Each structure stands twice: as C-alpha cells, then as structure tokens.
C-alpha cells in the first residue's frame, strides 16, 4: 500500500483532532488512527487498516491493547485517496459492517463530501452547509463539513 498524500493526511489529522477533543471532554471512549488494524475474520486472517476508528467504553472498557483489534469499533472513518476505487471501498464497507461497526464515514476530498453509512447499503452525502453529527456514544459531536475541508 502506498503512503497517503498530503491532503489525505491533513483531513485524517483534522477529523482525528475534532473527534479526540469531543471524546476527551465527554469521556466516551478511545480513538486510533493511521491504518489501525482490525480483524475482519480469522483462519484465514483478514485484517483491514482503518484511517480512524473509535471504540466506546462499552465496547472496549479497558481501553486499547497491543496488536490488531479483535473488537469492532463503533465508528470507522476512511479518507479516500486518488488511487482508491469504489469497488474496493465497497468491499471495505461490507467487511466493516459484517463485524458490527455501527457507523462508517467516508471522506471524499475531491468532492468535499462525507458519506455517512449506518448500514452497508444506506448512505447519506453531506456537503458544505451540512453538519457531520455523531450518534450513540458520539451523540453531541457536530462538525460543519465546511470546517473539515477548511485549508
């Protein structure tokens, strides 16, 4: 896998910053970034690397551990890179929901859009003028999409 580009890293850092600030204040769980490994299945092992993942204290009461995660995150965020194909992303979407992820955010830098998935087939597109809002343990988190894409 190729390293991420500057825009990808910038958006991943911004989203992590905004979520981390909310999570610290609300004391709701843990966030990890930078292609954190998450088991999709064993024998044979299938591991996905998520750009950003959030686990509530309910799902991960003792906090992060070493190694790849055996526990499905509440939220995963993926930042699209120029080399990403929607056919490959479709497989990631299916994989994430197959293990019990509640919400998936796919950030498209080219379109300045955040696609919010609550199921593998239910997608909402948020653009400038819309607000990205958390649910469940992230209820209260709100980020104007235009602020995410501010350069």
């Amino acid at each position: 896998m190729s390293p991420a580009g500057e825009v990808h890293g910038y958006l991943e850092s911004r989203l992590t910053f905004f979520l981390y600030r909310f999570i610290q204040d609300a004391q709701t769980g843990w966030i990890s970034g930078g292609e954190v490994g998450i088991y999709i299945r064993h024998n044979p092992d299938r591991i996905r690397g998520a750009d950003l993942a959030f686990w509530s204290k309910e799902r991960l009461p003792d906090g992060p551990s070493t190694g790849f995660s055996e526990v499905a995150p509440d939220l995963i965020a993926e930042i699209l890179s120029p080399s990403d194909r929607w056919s490959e992303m479709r497989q990631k979407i299916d994989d994430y929901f197959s293990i019990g992820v509640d919400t998936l955010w796919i950030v498209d830098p080219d379109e300045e859009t955040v696609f919010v998935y609550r199921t593998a087939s239910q997608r909402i597109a948020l653009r400038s003028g819309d607000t990205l809002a958390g649910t469940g343990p992230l209820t209260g988190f709100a980020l104007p999409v235009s602020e995410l894409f501010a350069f």
Side-chain angles (χ1 to χ4, degrees):
M1 178 176 247
S2 310
E6 291 176 2
V7 170
H8 182 285
Y10 175 79
L11 292 172
E12 183 178 334
S13 295
R14 283 186 68 77
L15 189 53
T16 301
F17 168 77
F18 290 120
L19 273 169
Y20 181 79
R21 193 168 61 182
F22 175 83
I23 291 163
Q24 285 302 104
D25 290 345
Q27 295 292 304
T28 57
W30 295 269
I31 189 170
S32 293
E35 293 295 316
V36 60
I38 301 162
Y39 277 105
I40 303 301
R41 70 170 180 257
H42 290 284
N43 299 318
D45 289 350
R46 182 178 184 96
I47 299 164
R48 288 285 187 188
D51 290 328
L52 184 150
F54 164 78
W55 291 266
S56 64
K57 287 185 176 181
E58 290 78 31
R59 287 194 185 210
L60 207 60
D62 297 326
S65 62
T66 59
F68 301 131
S69 180
E70 299 275 355
V71 177
D74 296 80
L75 167 74
I76 289 180
E78 291 284 352
I79 315 299
L80 293 178
S81 296
S83 62
D84 284 331
R85 304 284 178 260
W86 272 104
S87 59
E88 295 164 356
M89 193 55 63
R90 180 84 243 156
Q91 183 59 56
K92 274 188 168 186
I93 293 165
D94 290 342
D95 282 348
Y96 290 146
F97 283 105
S98 76
I99 62 169
V101 169
D102 286 336
T103 306
L104 174 63
W105 296 342
I106 298 180
V107 178
D108 185 339
D110 292 338
E111 301 295 324
E112 294 190 0
T113 301
V114 180
F115 296 100
V116 177
Y117 288 82
R118 298 284 296 148
T119 69
S121 61
Q122 178 190 10
R123 177 176 97 169
I124 298 168
L126 302 176
R127 295 177 178 83
S128 181
D130 295 323
T131 299
L132 180 60
T135 59
L138 293 173
T139 297
F141 174 79
L143 174 65
V145 172
S146 59
E147 192 169 337
L148 175 62
F149 292 103
F151 285 92

